[in-house]
Amino acid sequence: MTLLVTGGTVVTATDQYRGDVFVDGEKVAVIGSSLNIAADRVIDAAGKYVLPGGIDVHTHLDMPFGGTTSADDFESGTIAAAHGGTTTIVDFAIQYKGQTLHHAWETWMQKAQGKAAIDYGFHMIITDLSDQVEQEMDALVGEGITSFKLFMAYPGVFMLDDGSIFRALLRTGKNGGTICMHAENGGVIDVLVKRALAEGRTAPKYHALTRPARAEAEATSRAIALAEMADVPIYIVHLSAAEALEMVTEARDRGLPAYAETCPQYLFLSYDNYEEPGFDGAKYVMSPPLRPKETQARLWRGLAFNDLQVVSTDHCPFCMKEQKTLGTDDFSKIPNGAPGIETRMSLVYDGGVHAGRISLNRFVELTSTAPAKIFGLFPRKGTIAPGSDADIVIFDPNKQLTLSAKTHHMRVDYNPYEGRRVTGVTETVISRGRVIIENGTFTGRAGSGTFLRRSTR
Ligand code: URP
Ligand code: ZN
Ligand code: ZN
């Protein structure tokens, strides 16, 4: 099967030019102007951007959490991702206490196989670092699971102590893996949560009020210090607080390989959302929580000046009905997480490029190229070049869309951005040479996504 995308503006992290893209099988074969090559199918992209497929390196599909399971599985979640212009995800497999990493990997492979409609890789969450598990990290890196998420929060569930974190960091110095850190001071938060509940403060907003920005900043600073002592890079996930960003900026100014991502929810939503009437604040219960509105400008600045390198989603949807309501009388029982796998590209384009905060190239870098580079997928993914996978998004920069649970494809009963009108919409999506989104319809196949063996740094 061959495909010719004609007349569009090809945009990568570094270039922007009018060009035709010829796809042969699963790969980009030729790029040129006015290509005269016969193809099985020609797609006219005049007036549109031709972008590398979006890469979302932070998703939680079919993930057990707090007595329930995230509402999107690998089928519904990856189809929703595709609608929004994302062609690759890196999801999180979880090692529970006493289990091997291989067991976790197999479990998550089974969740994805036969269901994923786009390509996927896994990070491995380590919750129990025995000597044997430490050795297993090397084997996993050899299998293409080259990044590990550790938690400084959720004591007794996910949290690792500093010694274990340090050992894991040291190990990546040998095996070339990358540690991704959930940086919040779990001990402090636990005390604040218990105190709030004892005082009868049970509403959703207390989730945010018991997770102070300083708890995120302290953990971010500690994570960076541990990585510095281990002499390895560190990647901070879902950074939300300006105070935490300061820690990353300071480290980068000292030349340390400290990287961080933020997510659309922290760029577009704020603490004010927790004050919505009734139980609606539960829609935004996620960790770290939403921060004061002023933080948004700081984060955008961080993205523009490369103190933040990636925008991922932390897509972890729970329905209001029957899931978020687990915490009706106790905010600490509200499952943590919010949906966003489908809305990332349009939101970042709208708030970033359309609003004049970042360039078009930077948009591509943040949503595709940088995640591909940091997580061992480049140049197979994250760019449009001869030899790269034909993961291509034809994006209409002028089209508008109103985000809504009524029309989105995520399997969740609310949209955190309900009613927000965005400019810049994914029109056509090609995944390894196959058209999987066309005219707002999914034309791909569940199960056609493949597991990605990622390389090391
Ligand atoms: O609230 C969140 N972020 N839920 C997903 C789990 C995590 O910590 O990323
Ligand atoms: Zn996390
Ligand atoms: Zn997450």
Side-chain angles (χ1 to χ4, degrees), residues 149 151 182 237-238:
K149 182 178 177 186
F151 283 81
H182 180 126
V237 294
H238 48 45

Side-chain angles (χ1 to χ4, degrees), residues 162-246:
D162 286 355
S164 299
I165 291 172
F166 189 57
R167 278 166 52 218
L169 284 161
L170 284 172
R171 197 79 191 190
T172 61
K174 295 206 177 85
N175 63 31
T178 299
I179 297 293
C180 304
M181 193 65 79
H182 180 126
E184 287 186 296
N185 186 317
V188 166
I189 289 166
D190 241 29
V191 171
L192 295 176
V193 168
K194 287 198 179 95
R195 191 176 71 182
L197 291 174
E199 290 169 353
R201 300 178 207 278
T202 59
K205 69 176 179 184
Y206 292 105
H207 172 77
L209 294 171
T210 53
R211 304 184 91 92
R214 190 50 58 190
E216 187 185 345
E218 183 281 325
T220 303
S221 160
R222 182 157 39 99
I224 292 169
L226 292 169
E228 184 178 4
M229 288 186 276
D231 197 18
V232 295
I234 182 109
Y235 181 90
I236 308 294
V237 294
H238 48 45
L239 186 145
S240 73
E243 293 86 338
L245 177 56
E246 278 170 22

Side-chain angles (χ1 to χ4, degrees), residues 5-290:
V5 180
T6 60
T9 300
V10 180
V11 186
T12 68
T14 48
D15 298 306
Q16 180 175 344
Y17 52 88
R18 283 286 295 279
D20 298 345
V21 181
F22 179 71
V23 173
D24 191 356
E26 298 193 349
K27 301 281 181 187
V28 173
V30 184
I31 306 175
S33 58
S34 308
L35 286 181
N36 191 11
I37 308 177
D40 297 323
R41 181 152 180 213
V42 177
I43 299 177
D44 178 10
K48 316 279 164 58
Y49 292 139
V50 179
L51 310 173
I55 300 179
D56 185 350
V57 289
H58 192 147
T59 66
H60 300 278
L61 301 177
D62 200 358
M63 185 188 86
F65 189 102
T68 186
T69 302
S70 60
D72 270 315
D73 65 8
F74 276 82
E75 182 167 339
S76 63
T78 55
I79 291 173
H83 275 282
T86 289
T87 53
T88 300
I89 58 166
V90 185
D91 200 85
F92 290 85
I94 307 178
Q95 175 230 17
Y96 295 103
K97 291 193 194 306
Q99 289 181 350
T100 65
L101 302 184
H102 268 86
H103 178 79
W105 178 31
E106 271 168 30
T107 305
W108 256 261
M109 284 294 272
Q110 276 166 22
K111 287 174 189 272
Q113 276 167 351
K115 286 194 162 185
I118 58 174
D119 291 348
Y120 56 94
F122 293 116
H123 311 280
M124 180 59 63
I125 292 176
I126 301 178
T127 65
D128 188 0
L129 190 72
S130 62
D131 290 348
Q132 187 200 336
V133 168
E134 204 180 312
Q135 284 170 27
E136 240 197 313
M137 287 173 73
D138 303 350
L140 240 67
V141 169
E143 299 282 5
I145 299 183
T146 53
S147 43
F148 304 89
K149 182 178 177 186
L150 310 182
F151 283 81
M152 301 171 108
Y154 304 113
V157 186
F158 293 128
M159 189 170 113
L160 285 188
D161 61 83
D162 286 355
S164 299
I165 291 172
F166 189 57
R167 278 166 52 218
L169 284 161
L170 284 172
R171 197 79 191 190
T172 61
K174 295 206 177 85
N175 63 31
T178 299
I179 297 293
C180 304
M181 193 65 79
H182 180 126
E184 287 186 296
N185 186 317
V188 166
I189 289 166
D190 241 29
V191 171
L192 295 176
V193 168
K194 287 198 179 95
R195 191 176 71 182
L197 291 174
E199 290 169 353
R201 300 178 207 278
T202 59
K205 69 176 179 184
Y206 292 105
H207 172 77
L209 294 171
T210 53
R211 304 184 91 92
R214 190 50 58 190
E216 187 185 345
E218 183 281 325
T220 303
S221 160
R222 182 157 39 99
I224 292 169
L226 292 169
E228 184 178 4
M229 288 186 276
D231 197 18
V232 295
I234 182 109
Y235 181 90
I236 308 294
V237 294
H238 48 45
L239 186 145
S240 73
E243 293 86 338
L245 177 56
E246 278 170 22
M247 301 302 159
V248 176
T249 305
E250 186 270 336
R252 292 180 62 80
D253 287 349
R254 287 198 291 121
L256 294 177
Y259 305 96
E261 63 178 21
T262 191
C263 312
Q265 51 269 36
Y266 304 122
L267 297 167
F268 292 90
L269 305 173
S270 73
Y271 172 79
D272 299 349
N273 292 97
Y274 295 113
E275 301 280 359
E276 287 178 13
F279 189 62
D280 275 5
K283 292 175 181 169
Y284 315 98
V285 166
M286 63 187 80
S287 298
L290 301 176

Side-chain angles (χ1 to χ4, degrees), residues 331-342:
F331 69 87
S332 72
K333 294 198 168 60
I334 301 171
N336 287 198
I341 203 166
E342 185 174 352

